Amino acid sequence: FPSHDMSGISEFFKGVDFYKGTTVGNQIFAETAVSMKTTITTNVDTWLASAPIKKNIDFLEQGLNGVNGLSSNGKFMKITNAEIHIYMPKANITASLKTTWMNKLNTVNPKIKFEIKALEDFIQ
């Protein structure tokens, strides 16, 4: 019987922090998979060019590929929608930075939704 997981913490997939979806046996059908990243980088091109970010985007794209999906620790994840939430210091988030970043990020992959959030809004 499939279990419906509204806020699964993804312990099997390094590139996915949380997901919403259903699990059937060793298969996870993630309606939405979220990866969380922190950065102090203010240059979006530098951020996108970094090895860990490239690897994370590639990982999500594998999951979005409905044919095979992701495989990790004996589990398989197929992703319908992917999100990357980028956390940075509030002082770095200007209107100009947000516009520049979002314009660039929106060209990465139409199935990956990017959000920029201030660390201070989440850490008390």
Side-chain angles (χ1 to χ4, degrees):
F1 187 73
S3 66
H4 195 73
D5 195 335
M6 295 305 289
S7 59
I9 295 173
S10 181
E11 57 193 289
F12 302 106
F13 298 89
K14 284 187 284 189
V16 175
D17 294 299
F18 298 95
Y19 65 90
K20 179 170 68 172
T22 52
T23 303
V24 182
N26 68 345
Q27 295 201 54
I28 299 167
F29 298 94
E31 189 180 308
T32 302
V34 178
S35 180
M36 300 166 66
K37 296 290 166 205
T38 57
T39 187
I40 56 170
T41 302
T42 54
N43 183 310
V44 66
D45 294 310
T46 303
W47 187 78
L48 282 169
S50 73
I53 299 306
K54 281 179 154 175
K55 189 174 175 185
N56 193 225
I57 290 170
D58 288 347
F59 191 76
L60 290 173
E61 286 176 339
Q62 281 177 40
L64 287 162
N65 171 353
V67 179
N68 300 323
L70 293 171
S71 172
S72 179
N73 296 313
K75 300 273 186 186
F76 297 91
M77 180 182 280
K78 292 188 179 181
I79 300 170
T80 305
N81 299 292
E83 297 182 8
I84 296 179
H85 296 186
I86 305 161
Y87 296 86
M88 55 177 70
K90 190 179 273 185
N92 290 1
I93 304 175
T94 62
S96 166
L97 176 135
K98 220 168 182 176
T99 300
T100 302
W101 275 64
M102 292 312 292
N103 285 344
K104 181 73 175 202
L105 295 173
N106 286 334
T107 68
V108 171
N109 181 320
K111 284 190 160 187
I112 300 176
K113 176 184 171 197
F114 289 86
E115 291 184 12
I116 297 172
K117 301 172 184 259
L119 279 168
E120 291 84 348
D121 292 343
F122 298 92
I123 299 170
Q124 300 298 321

